Amino acid sequence: QQTAIQSPVATIITMGILTVYLDKVTNLADEDHLGVSDPYVKFELEQDNAIFDKNMGDKKSSKKKDEPNPVYGETFIWNIPELKNMELTIKVMDDDIVSDDQIGKCKIKLEDIDFGDEPVPIERKVDNNLFAKDACIYLTIKYEDP
């Protein structure tokens, strides 16, 4: 005869997997006005709740020196409990000696994306350039249910 041991602490939450593939950023304007930007991309994932937001973690790409059209080819993975109220903030930053400048940003509400078996291609404007083409970020996002 087997006896089941029940413990109130042993609650297992099954997590889904969010995969973001950062392809490239195009048409970055120089924020320093001293040359070309040294861009990197910062991802901030949070669950935007009514009472309190839950930070799901930040990730950062590599830095590209003197590159207005950086190609990254990098993958970032988060384990998340659900898509509800999940918001991915994407900031394109310029690496500087004193302090890093934000070149542009966008937000993606993950529950608004129609996820399937294949990664979903995303193209978003991250900066409105007055005298040049708008800066855009290109990525794919995939979500796998728990």
Side-chain angles (χ1 to χ4, degrees):
Q1 186 177 15
Q2 292 182 338
T3 307
I5 299 172
Q6 293 184 342
S7 169
V9 184
T11 305
I12 298 172
I13 298 171
T14 312
M15 303 290 259
I17 300 169
L18 179 73
T19 305
V20 175
Y21 174 77
L22 172 59
D23 182 17
K24 63 184 177 181
V25 182
T26 58
N27 304 314
L28 290 177
D30 174 36
E31 293 299 309
D32 291 341
H33 308 290
L34 299 171
V36 190
S37 297
D38 299 330
Y40 66 93
V41 179
K42 187 175 178 183
F43 296 96
E44 299 169 355
L45 182 63
E46 71 177 22
Q47 194 166 33
D48 191 15
N49 297 313
I51 299 170
F52 65 94
D53 295 342
K54 184 173 181 188
N55 184 350
M56 303 304 291
D58 299 349
K59 305 213 183 265
K60 209 188 310 189
S61 75
S62 61
K63 295 171 181 155
K64 304 293 182 182
K65 186 117 180 91
D66 298 335
E67 186 53 68
N69 296 291
V71 175
Y72 293 94
E74 297 175 27
T75 301
F76 304 90
I77 297 171
W78 286 266
N79 293 313
I80 59 175
E82 60 184 343
L83 287 174
K84 185 178 180 204
N85 298 331
M86 286 291 178
E87 189 168 74
L88 183 65
T89 301
I90 303 167
K91 296 178 181 176
V92 180
M93 306 294 292
D94 181 12
D95 182 37
D96 276 336
I97 294 167
V98 180
S99 72
D100 294 356
D101 299 318
Q102 181 176 296
I103 301 172
K105 89 182 226 185
C106 68
K107 291 188 177 201
I108 298 173
K109 291 188 180 297
L110 295 178
E111 64 186 334
D112 294 345
I113 298 175
D114 186 20
F115 287 106
D117 293 335
E118 295 299 314
V120 178
I122 306 280
E123 174 187 343
R124 289 286 165 93
K125 188 169 18 173
V126 289
D127 190 20
N128 294 318
N129 294 325
L130 294 176
F131 304 107
K133 287 172 112 178
D134 291 334
C136 291
I137 191 164
Y138 296 83
L139 30 98
T140 60
I141 302 177
K142 182 176 172 91
Y143 178 70
E144 297 168 64
D145 282 319

